[in-house]
Structures are given as structure tokens and as C-alpha cells.
Amino acid sequence: MITRSTLGEFIISNQKHFKYSSGELSRLINSIRLAAKVVNHEVNKAGLVDILGEAGDTNIQGEDQQKLDVYANEIFMQTLTNREIICGIASEEEDDFITISGKDRGNDNKYVVLIDPLDGSSNIDVNVSVGTIFSVYTRVTEIGSPVRLEDFLQEGNQQVAAGYIVYGTSTMLVYTTGHGVNGFTLNPAIGTFYLSHPNMMFPEDGAIYSINEGYYIHFPQGVKDYLKYCQEEEDDRPYKARYIGSLVSDFHRNMIKGGIYIYPTSSKAPKGKLRLLYECNPMAFLAEQAGGKASDGYMRTMDIKPTELHQRVPFFCGSKNMVEVAEGFMKNYPENAEY
Ligand code: AHM
Ligand code: MG
């Protein structure tokens, strides 16, 4: 019988990657593991209890908040805050970042976390997969002082860890600390995550494209040209179109099967829809660690200089060769991006 290591065992055995580690990052991943189990429990029974539907509030970006968004946000915020293992946190669902340990006093921890507690939440009501995305940085301001905006506005290339949880047909936690990508599947009977997908890699090429083609008319010409290319009958094309509308799930499938995910700018959303800090950078870190690629169509996502917490950027992410072909089409037209 093959014995698979549990996430807990894996975290401990991988602490050796961090030379002068005090175990802070391990404790942080452990807390995310715990929060993921709690949220998973709630997401799974969503159809049973009166928790479905909208919470009646809107978040800072004017989008309706679903009840489970609010719940997931609370669980992740509470778990990470109460255990005092980080010094600050920013969430897609919160207007501003939060200093942990009160306003006037910081604590002695060095990591900040950025989180999208429940991505793709418009899918909850119809029993389609949703996900949590997280990203970890070392603060740049002095340890012990309250965190500041600059601790959160770091380039993605500074990430220490990133990952996601996909609440799908099975629940998986997939993460990287810069030493490859590993996936763990939850055994719901005993509440333990097992290493099920060691060393995940994007196939260099793929045959799936994921984009909301309903907005075709509003897309930049470079994207339209690339879509035409995807649909042409030549070599291994036409590709398959697969779009769940949950970034985490679309990414997860593409990483396993080979594919590209695109959320471009459009005349309706001139900066794109996805958030650089909560969605694109963590997924870009995972993609690169898995041999894939992520860009805004012109430059590497992780090299974009963030200017605001809830900043949006266009996103091209997936199998390396596919992203490069898409970028080739984009380069035929001048970039007019101003984030
Ligand atoms: P959300 O954070 O409000 O859930 O939005 C992000 C989601 C992604 O998961 C998904 O890929 C995309 O929005 C879908 O958007 P659209 O419905 O415009 O295609
Ligand atoms: Mg989101």
C-alpha cells in the first residue's frame, strides 16, 4: 500500500527549505489548512441550509456579496488574526488592509497575507466549484510597527508563498513556497489533506482555451486574432473551449491538462476584471513554479508595480507556449494599458 504524506507532515519536512526559519511560514500554512476545512464544510452544505443567496451588502468594488463570501472572509480573517502568526492582512472583501494586534501597535511577525476568500462566488448558487486564493509576502517596513500600505503593494516576484483551495468534486489545497507546486486532496471522512498531486507541472503546450467569449465584441483586436487562431483548423487546432467562470477551477484544470486562461481588457472593463494582488499574482507565482507563464499580454504579471490594493489587470495565464503565442498576437497592437 502506498502511504501518502499528509499536508501537516509535508509542511514540517519542507521547513528545511528555509534556512533560518522560525517556523512562522509553516504555522501560517497550517492556519490556512484549518480555515480551508471550516469553509469547505460550509460550502459543501450550502444547498442544505439558509446560507445561500446574497448577504444584501456590496463590497468595495460595488459587487454583491454572497453570504458564503462573507462567511469565508470571516473564517480566514479570524483564523489568521487570532493565531497572531502574521502582522497584517488584506482581503478582496475588505476596503482596507488590517493591522493585526490593534491600530497603534504591531506585532513581531514578519508576514502579510492577501486573500480572495471565495473566488467565483457567483457560481455557488448553482453548485459549481469555487475557490480561495492566498498570497504571502515578507513585510518591508520595520517589524513591530503597524503595517503600512507598502507592505501590501509589493511586486508579485517578492511572494514567499501562494496557493489556492478549490472546493470542487473533491476539495484540494494547492500551494507553493517557491520550490515547486504541490496539491493535497481532503479526505472529508477524517478531515485530513493528503499529498495527491506532487510536483504539479503545466504541460508546455495545451489544447484548451478559457475565456468569456460572450464579451468577444468588446475585446482588444489582439485577443480577437488569438481566438480566431484557436479556432482555426490546423495542426492540433481547433482547441477546446472550456470556461467555468471560476478562475481557480479553470486554472486547476488547465494546469493538469494544458491550456490557457485569459481575462483581457475590454471596452466594458478597460483595466480587466481580475485583481492583481488577490488573484493574478498568486496564480502567476503558481503558474511559473509549475513551468507555466503569466502576463498581462505584454509584460510578466509578477513584475507589474502595484499602485493600489484593489488594482485590476488583464490576465493571460497557463501553458508556456500558449501564453507566448497569445502574447505574439497582442504585440501586433500597441499597448495602451494604464492600470
Ligand atoms: P469574483 O472575485 O468576483 O468571484 O470574480 C472573479 C471571477 C473569476 O473567478 C472568474 O474567472 C471571472 O470572475 C468570471 O468573470 P465573468 O463572469 O466576467 O466571465
Ligand atoms: Mg475573486
Side-chain angles (χ1 to χ4, degrees):
M1 190 182 119
I2 305 167
T3 41
R4 292 268 186 213
S5 63
T6 65
L7 175 54
E9 289 163 356
F10 185 89
I11 292 169
I12 294 165
S13 70
N14 277 270
Q15 209 164 298
K16 63 178 182 298
H17 283 140
F18 303 94
K19 243 188 176 170
Y20 304 106
S21 165
S22 57
E24 251 175 273
L25 186 61
S26 298
R27 288 199 294 281
L28 170 49
I29 305 285
N30 254 319
S31 299
I32 289 174
R33 170 183 70 156
L34 176 67
K37 284 198 261 186
V38 178
V39 171
N40 174 64
H41 183 69
E42 216 54 38
V43 168
N44 274 191
K45 62 178 191 189
L48 291 173
V49 288
D50 179 31
I51 200 163
L52 277 174
E54 291 169 16
D57 233 334
T58 49
N59 65 13
I60 186 172
Q61 293 149 67
E63 296 153 339
D64 289 335
Q65 278 184 316
Q66 307 280 318
K67 280 185 191 171
L68 270 173
D69 290 28
V70 179
Y71 179 81
N73 190 42
E74 274 168 17
I75 295 297
F76 277 100
M77 298 293 274
Q78 270 170 20
T79 312
L80 291 166
T81 307
N82 291 349
R83 296 181 145 203
E84 279 206 29
I85 39 172
I86 53 174
C87 52
I89 186 164
S91 161
E92 191 184 292
E93 299 296 334
E94 303 278 342
D95 300 2
D96 211 347
F97 64 84
I98 290 165
T99 292
I100 296 178
S101 261
K103 274 250 169 295
D104 315 318
R105 205 191 127 257
N107 61 31
D108 291 333
N109 299 317
K110 57 176 179 287
Y111 295 120
V112 296
V113 168
L114 292 107
I115 192 154
D116 180 355
L118 211 58
D119 183 65
S121 52
S122 60
N123 280 322
I124 295 167
D125 281 0
V126 290
N127 213 349
V128 170
S129 301
V130 288
T132 297
I133 308 172
F134 63 91
S135 173
V136 181
Y137 294 83
T138 306
R139 66 180 303 174
V140 290
T141 56
E142 201 189 328
I143 290 185
S145 62
V147 282
R148 296 217 302 263
L149 186 58
E150 63 237 58
D151 292 318
F152 298 92
L153 296 189
Q154 297 189 53
E155 288 177 14
N157 55 37
Q158 296 301 306
Q159 286 174 103
V160 173
Y164 60 78
I165 297 117
V166 55
Y167 310 96
T169 40
S170 56
T171 292
M172 281 191 70
L173 192 154
V174 175
Y175 80 103
T176 182
T177 52
H179 301 275
V181 177
N182 289 284
F184 301 81
T185 302
L186 180 67
N187 178 341
I190 50 175
T192 304
F193 281 103
Y194 287 94
L195 178 60
S196 52
H197 295 63
N199 200 17
M200 296 179 85
M201 294 297 282
F202 264 98
E204 266 196 21
D205 255 311
I208 295 174
Y209 70 102
S210 315
I211 183 168
N212 189 338
E213 229 171 319
Y215 302 150
Y216 180 88
I217 192 83
H218 301 294
F219 288 155
Q221 194 54 44
V223 174
K224 287 181 174 165
D225 291 355
Y226 178 64
L227 291 178
K228 192 160 165 272
Y229 166 88
C230 291
Q231 294 161 358
E232 269 165 14
E233 178 121 51
E234 214 176 317
D235 305 328
D236 55 345
R237 288 168 284 139
Y239 296 149
K240 279 187 184 139
R242 290 284 184 272
Y243 188 70
I244 298 169
S246 262
L247 168 64
V248 169
S249 315
D250 280 311
F251 178 99
H252 187 74
R253 183 209 47 242
N254 289 351
M255 178 159 61
I256 292 171
K257 295 198 163 178
I260 183 170
Y261 172 96
I262 304 178
Y263 207 108
T265 58
S266 70
S267 48
K268 284 258 162 84
K271 295 175 180 172
K273 175 184 185 189
L274 301 183
R275 294 75 171 173
L276 174 61
L277 298 178
Y278 306 108
E279 292 159 332
C280 303
N281 271 338
M283 292 319 231
F285 190 22
L286 287 159
E288 289 195 11
Q289 283 294 316
K293 200 168 177 187
S295 79
D296 68 354
Y298 296 92
M299 76 177 281
R300 184 184 181 216
T301 301
M302 289 203 286
D303 290 340
I304 297 173
K305 176 93 196 91
T307 53
E308 52 181 294
L309 225 38
H310 294 278
Q311 180 174 356
R312 297 176 196 264
V313 291
F315 196 44
F316 296 63
C317 178
S319 293
K320 190 166 169 285
N321 293 346
M322 293 183 88
V323 174
E324 282 173 1
V325 171
E327 285 172 337
F329 281 97
M330 296 304 289
K331 290 205 173 91
N332 293 331
Y333 303 91
E335 184 192 3
N336 54 3
E338 251 183 62
Y339 306 128

